[in-house]
Coordinates of all heavy atoms in Angstrom, one line a residue:
K179 N 0.8 -1.2 0.0 CA 0.0 0.0 0.0 C 0.8 1.2 0.0 O 1.8 1.2 0.7 CB -0.9 0.0 1.2 CG -1.8 -1.2 1.3 CD -2.5 -1.3 2.7 CE -3.3 -2.6 2.8 NZ -4.0 -2.7 4.1
D180 N 0.4 2.3 -0.7 CA 1.2 3.5 -0.8 C 0.3 4.6 -0.6 O -1.0 4.6 -1.0 CB 1.9 3.7 -2.2 CG 3.0 2.7 -2.3 OD1 4.0 2.8 -1.6 OD2 2.9 1.8 -3.3
Y181 N 0.7 5.7 0.1 CA -0.2 6.8 0.4 C 0.5 8.2 0.1 O 1.8 8.2 0.1 CB -0.5 6.8 1.9 CG -1.3 5.6 2.3 CD1 -0.5 4.4 2.9 CD2 -2.6 5.5 2.2 CE1 -1.2 3.4 3.3 CE2 -3.3 4.3 2.7 CZ -2.6 3.3 3.2 OH -3.2 2.2 3.6
S182 N -0.2 9.2 -0.3 CA 0.3 10.4 -0.4 C 0.8 10.9 1.0 O 0.2 10.5 2.1 CB -0.7 11.5 -1.0 OG -1.7 11.6 -0.1
D183 N 1.8 11.8 1.1 CA 2.2 12.4 2.3 C 1.1 13.0 3.1 O 1.1 13.0 4.4 CB 3.3 13.4 2.1 CG 4.7 12.6 1.6 OD1 4.8 11.5 1.8 OD2 5.5 13.4 1.0
S184 N 0.2 13.6 2.5 CA -0.9 14.4 3.1 C -1.8 13.5 4.0 O -2.4 14.0 4.8 CB -1.6 15.3 2.1 OG -2.3 14.4 1.2
V185 N -1.9 12.2 3.6 CA -2.8 11.3 4.3 C -2.2 10.2 5.0 O -2.8 9.4 5.8 CB -3.9 10.7 3.3 CG1 -4.6 11.9 2.5 CG2 -3.3 9.6 2.4
K186 N -0.9 10.1 4.8 CA -0.1 9.0 5.5 C -0.4 9.0 7.0 O -0.2 10.0 7.6 CB 1.3 9.0 5.1 CG 2.1 7.7 5.4 CD 3.5 7.9 4.7 CE 3.4 8.0 3.2 NZ 4.8 8.2 2.6
G187 N -0.7 7.8 7.6 CA -0.9 7.7 9.0 C -2.3 7.9 9.4 O -2.8 7.7 10.5
R188 N -3.2 8.5 8.4 CA -4.6 8.7 8.8 C -5.6 7.9 8.0 O -6.6 7.6 8.5 CB -4.9 10.3 8.5 CG -4.0 11.2 9.4 CD -4.4 12.6 9.3 NE -4.3 13.1 7.9 CZ -5.3 13.5 7.0 NH1 -6.5 13.5 7.5 NH2 -5.1 13.9 5.9
F189 N -5.2 7.7 6.7 CA -6.0 6.9 5.8 C -5.5 5.5 5.6 O -4.3 5.3 5.7 CB -6.2 7.6 4.4 CG -6.9 8.9 4.4 CD1 -7.3 9.5 5.6 CD2 -7.1 9.5 3.2 CE1 -8.0 10.7 5.5 CE2 -7.8 10.7 3.1 CZ -8.3 11.3 4.2
S190 N -6.4 4.6 5.3 CA -6.0 3.2 5.0 C -6.7 2.7 3.9 O -8.0 2.7 3.9 CB -6.2 2.3 6.3 OG -5.8 1.0 6.0
I191 N -6.1 2.2 2.9 CA -6.7 1.6 1.7 C -6.8 0.1 1.9 O -5.9 -0.6 2.5 CB -6.0 1.9 0.4 CG1 -6.8 1.5 -0.8 CG2 -4.6 1.3 0.4 CD1 -6.2 2.1 -2.1
S192 N -7.9 -0.6 1.5 CA -8.0 -2.1 1.6 C -8.9 -2.5 0.4 O -9.4 -1.7 -0.4 CB -8.7 -2.4 2.9 OG -10.0 -1.9 3.0
R193 N -8.9 -3.9 0.2 CA -9.6 -4.3 -0.9 C -10.2 -5.7 -0.6 O -9.7 -6.5 0.3 CB -8.8 -4.5 -2.1 CG -7.7 -5.5 -2.1 CD -6.8 -5.3 -3.3 NE -7.4 -5.6 -4.6 CZ -7.0 -5.1 -5.7 NH1 -5.9 -4.4 -5.8 NH2 -7.7 -5.4 -6.8
D194 N -11.3 -6.1 -1.2 CA -12.0 -7.4 -1.1 C -12.2 -7.9 -2.5 O -13.2 -7.5 -3.2 CB -13.2 -7.3 -0.3 CG -13.8 -8.7 -0.1 OD1 -13.5 -9.7 -0.7 OD2 -14.7 -8.7 0.8
N195 N -11.3 -8.6 -3.0 CA -11.4 -9.1 -4.4 C -12.6 -10.0 -4.7 O -13.1 -10.0 -5.7 CB -10.2 -9.8 -4.8 CG -9.0 -8.9 -5.1 OD1 -9.1 -7.7 -5.3 ND2 -7.7 -9.4 -5.0
S196 N -13.1 -10.7 -3.7 CA -14.2 -11.5 -3.8 C -15.5 -10.7 -4.1 O -16.5 -11.2 -4.6 CB -14.4 -12.4 -2.5 OG -14.8 -11.6 -1.5
K197 N -15.5 -9.4 -3.7 CA -16.6 -8.5 -3.8 C -16.3 -7.5 -4.9 O -17.1 -6.6 -5.1 CB -17.0 -7.9 -2.5 CG -17.5 -8.8 -1.5 CD -17.8 -8.1 -0.2 CE -18.4 -9.0 0.9 NZ -18.7 -8.4 2.1
N198 N -15.1 -7.5 -5.5 CA -14.7 -6.6 -6.5 C -14.8 -5.1 -6.0 O -15.2 -4.2 -6.7 CB -15.6 -6.7 -7.8 CG -14.7 -6.7 -9.0 OD1 -13.6 -7.4 -9.2 ND2 -15.1 -6.0 -10.0
T199 N -14.3 -5.0 -4.7 CA -14.4 -3.7 -4.1 C -13.1 -3.3 -3.5 O -12.2 -4.0 -3.2 CB -15.5 -3.7 -2.9 OG1 -15.1 -4.6 -1.9 CG2 -16.8 -4.1 -3.4
V200 N -13.0 -1.9 -3.4 CA -11.9 -1.3 -2.8 C -12.4 -0.2 -1.8 O -13.5 0.5 -2.1 CB -11.0 -0.5 -3.8 CG1 -9.8 0.1 -3.1 CG2 -10.5 -1.5 -4.9
S201 N -11.8 -0.1 -0.6 CA -12.3 0.8 0.4 C -11.2 1.8 0.8 O -10.0 1.5 0.6 CB -12.7 0.0 1.6 OG -13.9 -0.9 1.3
L202 N -11.6 2.9 1.4 CA -10.7 3.9 2.0 C -11.2 4.3 3.4 O -12.3 4.9 3.4 CB -10.6 5.0 1.1 CG -9.5 6.1 1.5 CD1 -8.1 5.5 1.3 CD2 -9.7 7.4 0.7
Q203 N -10.5 3.9 4.4 CA -10.9 4.3 5.7 C -10.1 5.6 6.1 O -8.9 5.7 5.9 CB -10.4 3.2 6.7 CG -10.7 3.5 8.2 CD -12.1 3.6 8.5 OE1 -12.9 2.7 8.2 NE2 -12.6 4.6 9.2
M204 N -11.0 6.6 6.4 CA -10.4 7.9 6.6 C -10.6 8.2 8.1 O -11.7 8.3 8.6 CB -11.2 9.0 5.8 CG -11.2 8.7 4.3 SD -12.4 9.8 3.4 CE -11.7 11.4 3.7
N205 N -9.5 8.4 8.7 CA -9.5 8.7 10.2 C -8.8 10.2 10.3 O -8.0 10.6 9.5 CB -8.8 7.7 11.0 CG -9.4 6.4 11.0 OD1 -10.6 6.2 10.9 ND2 -8.6 5.4 11.1
S206 N -9.1 10.8 11.5 CA -8.5 12.1 11.8 C -8.7 13.0 10.6 O -7.7 13.7 10.2 CB -7.1 11.9 12.3 OG -6.9 11.0 13.3
V207 N -9.8 13.1 10.1 CA -10.2 13.9 9.0 C -9.9 15.4 9.2 O -10.2 15.9 10.3 CB -11.6 13.6 8.5 CG1 -12.0 14.6 7.5 CG2 -11.7 12.2 7.9
K208 N -9.3 16.0 8.2 CA -9.0 17.5 8.2 C -9.8 18.2 7.2 O -10.4 17.6 6.2 CB -7.5 17.7 7.9 CG -6.6 17.0 8.8 CD -5.1 17.2 8.4 CE -4.1 16.6 9.3 NZ -2.7 16.8 8.9
V209 N -10.0 19.5 7.5 CA -10.7 20.3 6.4 C -10.2 20.2 5.1 O -10.9 20.1 4.0 CB -10.8 21.8 6.9 CG1 -11.4 22.7 5.8 CG2 -11.6 21.9 8.2
E210 N -8.9 20.1 4.9 CA -8.2 19.9 3.6 C -8.5 18.6 2.9 O -8.2 18.5 1.8 CB -6.7 20.0 3.8 CG -6.3 21.2 4.6 CD -6.0 20.9 6.1 OE1 -4.9 20.5 6.5 OE2 -7.0 21.1 6.9
D211 N -9.1 17.6 3.6 CA -9.6 16.4 3.0 C -10.8 16.5 2.2 O -11.2 15.5 1.5 CB -9.7 15.3 4.1 CG -8.3 15.0 4.7 OD1 -7.3 15.0 4.1 OD2 -8.4 14.6 5.9
A212 N -11.5 17.6 2.4 CA -12.8 17.8 1.6 C -12.6 17.7 0.1 O -11.7 18.4 -0.4 CB -13.5 19.0 2.0
A213 N -13.3 16.8 -0.5 CA -13.1 16.7 -2.0 C -14.1 15.6 -2.4 O -14.8 14.9 -1.6 CB -11.7 16.2 -2.4
V214 N -14.2 15.5 -3.8 CA -14.8 14.2 -4.4 C -13.8 13.2 -4.5 O -12.7 13.4 -5.1 CB -15.5 14.6 -5.7 CG1 -16.0 13.3 -6.4 CG2 -16.5 15.7 -5.6
Y215 N -14.1 12.0 -3.9 CA -13.2 10.9 -3.9 C -13.6 9.9 -5.0 O -14.8 9.5 -5.1 CB -13.2 10.2 -2.6 CG -12.4 11.0 -1.6 CD1 -12.8 12.2 -1.0 CD2 -11.1 10.6 -1.1 CE1 -12.1 12.9 -0.2 CE2 -10.3 11.3 -0.3 CZ -10.8 12.5 0.2 OH -10.1 13.2 1.1
L216 N -12.7 9.5 -5.8 CA -12.9 8.5 -6.8 C -12.0 7.3 -6.8 O -10.8 7.4 -6.4 CB -12.7 9.2 -8.2 CG -13.5 10.5 -8.5 CD1 -12.6 11.7 -8.2 CD2 -14.3 10.5 -9.7
C217 N -12.4 6.1 -7.3 CA -11.4 5.1 -7.4 C -11.1 4.8 -8.9 O -11.9 5.2 -9.8 CB -12.1 3.8 -6.7 SG -13.4 3.1 -7.6
K218 N -10.0 4.1 -9.0 CA -9.6 3.8 -10.5 C -8.6 2.7 -10.5 O -7.9 2.4 -9.5 CB -8.8 5.1 -10.9 CG -8.3 4.9 -12.3 CD -7.4 6.2 -12.8 CE -6.9 6.0 -14.2 NZ -6.0 4.8 -14.3
V219 N -8.8 1.9 -11.5 CA -7.7 0.9 -11.7 C -6.4 1.6 -12.0 O -6.3 2.5 -12.9 CB -8.1 0.1 -13.0 CG1 -7.0 -1.1 -13.2 CG2 -9.5 -0.5 -12.9
Y220 N -5.4 1.3 -11.2 CA -4.2 2.1 -11.2 C -3.5 2.2 -12.6 O -3.1 3.5 -12.9 CB -3.2 1.5 -10.3 CG -1.9 2.4 -10.2 CD1 -2.0 3.6 -9.5 CD2 -0.7 1.9 -10.7 CE1 -0.8 4.4 -9.5 CE2 0.5 2.7 -10.6 CZ 0.4 3.9 -10.0 OH 1.5 4.8 -10.0
P221 N -3.2 1.2 -13.4 CA -2.5 1.5 -14.6 C -3.3 2.6 -15.5 O -4.4 2.5 -15.7 CB -2.6 0.1 -15.3 CG -2.6 -0.8 -14.2 CD -3.6 -0.2 -13.2
R222 N -2.5 3.4 -16.1 CA -2.9 4.6 -16.8 C -4.0 4.3 -17.9 O -4.9 5.0 -18.2 CB -1.8 5.4 -17.3 CG -2.2 6.8 -17.7 CD -1.0 7.7 -18.0 NE -1.3 9.1 -18.3 CZ -0.5 10.1 -18.3 NH1 0.7 9.9 -17.9 NH2 -1.0 11.3 -18.6
R223 N -3.7 3.2 -18.6 CA -4.5 2.8 -19.7 C -6.0 2.6 -19.3 O -6.8 2.7 -20.2 CB -4.0 1.7 -20.5 CG -4.0 0.3 -19.8 CD -3.4 -0.8 -20.7 NE -4.3 -1.0 -21.8 CZ -5.0 -2.0 -22.1 NH1 -5.0 -3.0 -21.2 NH2 -5.8 -2.1 -23.2
Y224 N -6.2 2.2 -18.1 CA -7.6 1.9 -17.6 C -8.2 3.2 -17.2 O -8.4 3.4 -15.9 CB -7.5 0.8 -16.5 CG -6.9 -0.5 -17.1 CD1 -5.7 -0.9 -16.7 CD2 -7.7 -1.3 -18.1 CE1 -5.2 -2.1 -17.3 CE2 -7.2 -2.4 -18.6 CZ -5.9 -2.8 -18.1 OH -5.4 -4.0 -18.6
D225 N -8.5 4.0 -18.1 CA -9.0 5.4 -17.8 C -10.5 5.4 -17.6 O -11.3 6.1 -18.3 CB -8.6 6.3 -18.9 CG -8.7 7.8 -18.6 OD1 -8.7 8.1 -17.4 OD2 -8.8 8.6 -19.4
Y226 N -11.0 4.7 -16.6 CA -12.4 4.6 -16.3 C -12.6 5.4 -15.0 O -12.0 5.1 -14.0 CB -12.8 3.2 -16.2 CG -12.4 2.2 -17.2 CD1 -11.8 1.0 -16.9 CD2 -12.6 2.6 -18.5 CE1 -11.4 0.1 -17.9 CE2 -12.2 1.7 -19.6 CZ -11.6 0.5 -19.2 OH -11.2 -0.3 -20.2

């Protein structure tokens, strides 16, 4: 797992391949975290 410096230690990414899902646990949320959050297949070609 890799995190941006801004969320490291506060957020945790996980997955459940049996459910085809990815999750993001957000703790100690800051005002700066406000945004629209989107998931994506990491490789660039999968631009969905």
Side-chain angles (χ1 to χ4, degrees):
K179 304 171 184 179
D180 293 295
Y181 302 93
S182 67
D183 289 341
S184 61
V185 309
K186 197 169 297 179
R188 300 186 298 116
F189 291 8
S190 180
I191 188 170
S192 61
R193 67 191 298 157
D194 186 343
N195 285 339
S196 70
K197 297 180 179 178
N198 225 45
T199 63
V200 182
S201 298
L202 185 69
Q203 178 67 45
M204 305 169 60
N205 296 327
S206 302
V207 166
K208 301 177 179 180
V209 170
E210 308 93 87
D211 295 323
V214 174
Y215 283 73
L216 308 101
C217 69
K218 183 188 178 294
V219 186
Y220 181 72
R222 192 166 186 168
R223 68 178 295 251
Y224 300 106
D225 194 23
Y226 312 131

